[in-house]
Amino acid sequence: MVPTPQRGGDDTARPVEAAAAQPAGPGRAQAPADLREVADRMAAESRAFTTTVTEVAAGANPEAAIPLLLLAVSDVLAAGARLGAMVDVVPPERFEPDVGPDVDLDPLRAALGNVFEGIDDYAEVDDPVLGREVVTSSVSSDVVLVVGALAQGLRHHASGEVLEALWWWQFSYLSNWGERASAALRVLQTVLAHLRLDVDDEVAADAEFQALHP
């Protein structure tokens, strides 16, 4: 769960399921047209990511689980990078509106953990800029954290609070989910590379011989 910054309260984020409703309300009218477009695009990316993660966790296509997540994480990181490159979005309200109770994401995390059993946990440098401490994490936890952060913004967006949604997505990208998604992306790419490139020495030698002696 991503902590909410000090905008006047000590509330924490309330990750919720993706909402696809068309936003309406005074908050949407207050947002400039260009920011509404950015928010609508981010909402679409968030829903697509959540759908892909849910399908992978359900075992809908186990053979394609890693490639599908690799693409989904890459796409949502590209969307987040656009937010990170923007100037800070500042909502008109000092307090983040309450979007309802937490949604239990533990079943999704457990299901993803089953999908990635044996390759879920990994080690990384905690902060490659300020330190060299090695810590551990897991792909399933990282991906579900991203789902929760995106869902929080989706709830704001669905209620018509466009600037609030953009602020949340931007802040949480910079403070948490962008980092976790980047770490998960590296692991997914590494696993895929091992699956595609790691072959038995005899198989590799036979393939090389066949290539040199057609």
Side-chain angles (χ1 to χ4, degrees):
M1 190 174 296
V2 185
T4 303
Q6 299 298 315
R7 266 181 49 202
D10 234 356
D11 289 342
T12 54
R14 296 179 174 85
V16 290
E17 293 178 344
Q22 178 65 27
R28 185 169 180 82
Q30 293 172 3
D34 58 337
L35 292 183
R36 291 200 301 269
E37 182 179 351
V38 172
D40 291 347
R41 188 182 306 123
M42 187 65 200
E45 293 282 0
S46 298
R47 287 192 291 268
F49 179 79
T50 302
T51 297
T52 298
V53 171
T54 303
E55 290 176 350
V56 168
N61 193 351
E63 297 297 325
I66 292 175
L68 285 173
L69 273 187
L70 182 71
L71 289 171
V73 174
S74 297
D75 287 345
V76 82
L77 271 173
R82 288 191 289 270
L83 295 178
M86 292 169 49
V87 298
D88 289 348
V89 178
V90 181
E93 299 296 331
R94 183 181 177 190
F95 296 91
E96 182 185 7
D98 187 348
V99 290
D102 293 359
V103 166
D104 185 9
L105 293 175
D106 286 342
L108 180 61
R109 184 180 296 105
L112 274 179
N114 289 334
V115 171
F116 285 94
E117 184 177 4
I119 56 173
D120 195 23
D121 298 329
Y122 66 91
E124 63 171 340
V125 175
D126 184 36
D127 188 328
V129 176
L130 300 180
R132 298 181 180 179
E133 180 185 2
V134 176
V135 297
T136 58
S137 187
S138 67
V139 174
S140 58
S141 293
D142 291 341
V143 169
V144 171
L145 183 147
V146 177
V147 169
L150 296 178
Q152 175 83 351
L154 279 172
R155 287 292 294 271
H156 288 307
H157 184 264
S159 67
E161 299 295 338
V162 173
L163 292 179
E164 193 71 43
L166 274 178
W167 168 81
W168 172 257
W169 282 321
Q170 184 185 58
F171 160 73
S172 57
Y173 167 78
L174 294 171
S175 66
N176 205 312
W177 75 258
E179 176 195 8
R180 299 327 310 155
S182 296
L185 180 66
R186 183 182 181 188
V187 175
L188 290 168
Q189 191 276 333
T190 301
V191 171
L192 188 63
H194 281 302
L195 291 174
R196 296 285 179 83
L197 302 179
D198 292 355
V199 296
D200 183 84
D201 290 341
E202 291 188 8
V203 174
D206 288 343
E208 183 178 359
F209 180 83
Q210 294 295 332
L212 294 175
H213 304 84

